C-alpha cells in the first residue's frame, strides 16, 4: 500500500463515522519508527480528531485491542481520568473502519486529541526520580482497579511465546531466522520454564503500556502524570512489563541515544531509587523482582524477534535483531536481581 493512499482511506473512514461533516485536511504525525500510522484530521468546522491506521495482525484483534483501550480510558478514576485518549464511539461501540480492496486490508480508529503539559527533563534529578516512582505506582494501582472492568484479552505471555515457537517450525520461520533457530528455541523454553517457576499467573494483571519512553507522556509542574498521547496499544499483563521502559526514562542514557534496547538501564542505581519509591506505594513481591529479566526476555522475543519487521522499519528491525543475539540475550543471565531485592528489603 502506498503512503499517499492513506489520507483517502482516512477520509472514507470518517465518512462512515459522520458523513455530515467533511474532512478538510489529513496530516501524517506518525513517529516514523513503527509501521503504525497516526494522522491529525482537521474537519470543515475546524474541529480536530486523531486517526490511527494499522494493517498489522488481524482486524478482529484490532477491534479487541481498542475495546480494551476504550474501557481503560473510560474507567480510570481521579486523578488519572484524562490520562488516556478517548476513542470515538458510534452506536455505543468504539468505531472502527475496515478498508479492503485487492490485496489491501487496513483498519482505522479515531480518537479525540489528547492534551499535553510538560515533558520530563532530559536527565531527571534524584528528587524527580523519587516523585516519578511514587506517581507510577499510584497509576499502576489505578490500572489494576480498572482491570476488573475490562473486556477479556485473547493474548497472554504464554500464548505469544508459543506462537513464536510455532513460527519457528514453518518454512518461513526457518528461512527468516536461519542460523538462530536453536538460540530462539532455547530462549523461549527458558522463558516458559521460568514463568511457571515464578508463578506469574498469580501476579496482579493490569493494562501495561509496553513502550513507555520519555517522548510520549506529559506531566504537571509537580511531576504528576498528565497524559499519554501516542495512541498506541498496551497489553493486559504483569505491571513488571512496564519496568524496563520506566528504567529508560530515569536512566543516564535511556531513550536519548541510538535507538536500542540495551539492558543497562535496569541495573542502574537510578532505577533502584525509582523502584524503592514505587515499592512504598505498591509493594513488589520477590517473584515479581525475579520476573524482571523474564519480562525483558519476553520483550526481545516477542517485539524484536517475532514482530520486529511489523513494528519497526527495515533498518531498525535489522539493527535490533542483530543486537538481540550479540547483546540482549547474553545480558539476561547477568541481571543482578539480588541487588534490587536487597534495596527493597525483600
Amino acid at each position: 500500500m502506498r503512503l499517499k493512499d492513506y489520507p483517502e482511506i482516512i477520509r472514507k473512514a470518517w465518512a462512515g463515522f459522520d458523513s455530515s461533516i467533511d474532512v478538510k485536511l489529513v496530516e501524517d504525525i506518525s513517529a516514523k519508527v513503527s509501521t503504525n500510522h497516526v494522522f491529525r484530521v482537521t474537519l470543515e468546522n475546524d474541529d480536530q480528531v486523531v486517526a490511527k491506521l494499522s494493517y498489522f495482525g488481524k482486524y478482529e484483534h484490532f477491534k479487541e485491542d481498542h475495546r480494551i483501550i476504550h474501557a481503560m480510558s473510560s474507567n480510570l478514576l481521579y486523578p488519572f481520568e484524562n490520562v488516556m485518549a478517548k476513542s470515538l464511539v458510534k452506536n455505543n461501540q468504539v468505531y472502527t473502519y475496515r478498508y479492503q480492496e485487492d490485496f489491501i486490508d487496513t483498519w482505522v480508529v479515531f480518537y479525540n486529541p489528547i492534551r499535553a503539559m510538560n515533558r520530563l527533563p532530559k536527565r531527571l534529578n534524584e528528587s524527580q526520580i523519587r516523585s516519578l516512582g511514587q506517581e507510577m505506582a499510584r497509576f499502576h494501582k489505578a490500572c489494576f482497579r480498572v482491570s476488573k472492568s475490562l473486556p477479556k484479552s485473547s493474548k497472554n505471555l504464554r500464548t505469544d511465546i508459543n506462537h513464536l515457537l510455532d513460527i519457528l517450525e514453518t518454512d518461513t520461520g526457518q528461512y527468516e531466522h536461519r542460523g538462530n533457530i536453536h538460540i530462539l528455541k532455547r530462549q523461549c523454553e527458558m522463558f516458559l520454564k521460568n514463568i511457571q517457576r515464578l508463578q506469574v499467573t498469580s501476579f496482579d494483571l493490569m493494562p501495561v503500556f509496553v513502550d513507555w519512553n520519555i517522548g510520549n507522556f506529559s506531566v504537571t509542574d509537580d511531576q504528576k502524570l498528565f497524559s499519554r498521547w501516542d495512541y498506541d496499544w498496551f497489553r493486559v499483563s504483569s505491571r513488571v512489563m512496564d519496568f524496563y521502559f520506566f528504567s529508560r526514562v530515569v536512566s543516564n542514557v535511556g531513550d536519548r541515544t541510538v535507538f536500542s534496547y540495551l539492558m543497562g538501564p535496569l541495573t542502574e542505581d537510578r532505577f533502584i531509587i525509582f523502584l524503592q519509591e514505587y515499592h512504598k506505594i505498591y509493594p513488589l513481591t520477590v517473584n515479581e523482582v525475579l520476573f524482571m529479566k523474564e519480562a525483558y526476555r519476553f520483550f526481545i522475543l516477542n517485539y524484536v524477534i517475532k514482530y520486529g519487521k511489523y513494528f519497526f522499519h527495515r533498518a531498525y528491525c535489522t539493527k535490533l535483531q542483530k543486537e538481540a543475539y550479540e547483546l540482549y540475550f547474553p545480558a539476561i543471565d547477568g541481571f543482578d536481581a539480588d541487588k534490587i531485592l536487597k534495596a527493597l528489603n525483600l
Side-chain angles (χ1 to χ4, degrees):
M1 191 189 307
R2 297 170 299 173
L3 185 60
K4 68 179 183 179
D5 295 331
Y6 296 160
E8 184 57 32
I9 294 174
I10 299 297
R11 290 175 184 275
K12 290 178 182 292
W14 179 259
F17 179 75
D18 186 356
S19 59
S20 68
I21 306 175
D22 290 336
V23 172
K24 181 162 63 176
L25 182 64
V26 179
E27 302 169 271
D28 192 340
I29 57 172
S30 306
K32 310 299 184 185
V33 175
S34 169
T35 51
N36 283 327
H37 296 272
V38 181
F39 299 86
R40 181 188 298 114
V41 181
T42 304
L43 306 174
E44 287 293 344
N45 62 2
D46 290 326
D47 285 347
Q48 291 187 335
V49 296
V50 171
K52 176 184 171 186
L53 180 147
S54 181
Y55 46 83
F56 166 69
K58 297 180 180 179
Y59 176 57
E60 291 72 24
H61 291 161
F62 182 83
K63 290 195 296 182
E64 174 188 290
D65 289 352
H66 288 89
R67 281 199 297 267
I68 296 174
I69 292 172
H70 179 68
M72 167 76 169
S73 62
S74 299
N75 286 284
L76 276 172
L77 301 178
Y78 177 85
F80 303 112
E81 71 274 21
N82 293 316
V83 167
M84 299 294 300
K86 302 291 191 295
S87 302
L88 299 193
V89 174
K90 185 173 184 178
N91 299 325
N92 296 318
Q93 294 185 1
V94 175
Y95 173 75
T96 58
Y97 175 83
R98 185 176 191 177
Y99 180 86
Q100 291 178 291
E101 183 179 348
D102 297 328
F103 296 105
I104 298 174
D105 189 4
T106 192
W107 323 296
V108 177
V109 65
F110 291 103
Y111 293 90
N112 285 312
I114 199 74
R115 297 174 301 147
M117 284 192 70
N118 306 321
R119 295 195 180 210
L120 290 173
K122 289 186 177 180
R123 185 183 187 278
L124 278 62
N125 61 37
E126 184 174 323
S127 175
Q128 290 166 333
I129 292 172
R130 292 186 182 279
S131 176
L132 190 66
Q134 293 196 13
E135 179 69 354
M136 291 310 173
R138 285 188 285 266
F139 182 64
H140 270 173
K141 289 183 79 171
C143 290
F144 179 61
R145 288 192 291 268
V146 166
S147 67
K148 312 291 187 184
S149 60
L150 299 182
K152 287 189 179 295
S153 173
S154 61
K155 295 174 289 189
N156 61 48
L157 301 178
R158 185 175 292 278
T159 60
D160 280 341
I161 293 302
N162 281 326
H163 182 216
L164 174 55
L165 285 170
D166 289 341
I167 290 172
L168 296 178
E169 296 298 329
T170 67
D171 290 343
T172 300
Q174 293 277 332
Y175 175 77
E176 195 170 302
H177 302 290
R178 58 194 179 279
N180 295 306
I181 299 294
H182 67 289
I183 297 174
L184 295 179
K185 286 185 176 180
R186 179 174 177 273
Q187 291 291 330
C188 289
E189 289 162 2
M190 289 175 64
F191 175 82
L192 293 172
K193 177 182 177 180
N194 287 335
I195 64 170
Q196 182 174 358
R197 177 177 61 85
L198 296 172
Q199 299 179 315
V200 171
T201 54
S202 68
F203 291 179
D204 288 354
L205 298 182
M206 64 189 70
V208 292
F209 292 86
V210 180
D211 61 351
W212 282 91
N213 59 64
I214 202 165
N216 73 357
F217 68 100
S218 69
V219 296
T220 62
D221 291 338
D222 57 352
Q223 305 296 307
K224 303 298 184 185
L225 181 60
F226 186 74
S227 64
R228 180 188 189 265
W229 64 77
D230 70 352
Y231 310 101
D232 215 342
W233 167 229
F234 47 82
R235 62 186 295 126
V236 177
S237 191
S238 161
R239 55 185 166 153
V240 180
M241 297 296 287
D242 267 346
F243 284 168
Y244 174 67
F245 299 95
F246 290 150
S247 78
R248 290 173 70 97
V249 172
V250 303
S251 174
N252 268 326
V253 179
D255 289 344
R256 296 175 293 286
T257 59
V258 176
F259 193 81
S260 69
Y261 290 105
L262 294 170
M263 198 177 191
L266 276 174
T267 64
E268 287 186 27
D269 290 342
R270 293 165 64 85
F271 181 54
I272 291 179
I273 293 172
F274 174 95
L275 288 176
Q276 287 173 324
E277 297 302 318
Y278 181 104
H279 186 63
K280 293 176 183 177
I281 305 296
Y282 191 0
L284 293 158
T285 67
V286 171
N287 278 1
E288 283 177 314
V289 172
L290 296 176
F291 177 61
M292 283 185 196
K293 77 174 185 179
E294 297 308 320
Y296 177 82
R297 194 195 313 268
F298 174 84
F299 181 83
I300 302 305
L301 285 170
N302 202 58
Y303 296 112
V304 174
I305 298 297
K306 184 168 76 172
Y307 289 142
K309 65 181 180 181
Y310 301 105
F311 289 154
F312 306 103
H313 290 306
R314 185 175 299 174
Y316 283 119
C317 178
T318 300
K319 172 183 178 296
L320 292 175
Q321 290 187 347
K322 184 172 184 289
E323 288 180 348
Y325 300 107
E326 296 177 354
L327 301 172
Y328 306 157
F329 290 140
I332 292 174
D333 292 334
F335 178 72
D336 185 9
D338 288 341
K339 180 180 178 181
I340 296 175
L341 291 169
K342 182 177 180 181
L344 300 184
N345 295 315
L346 290 173

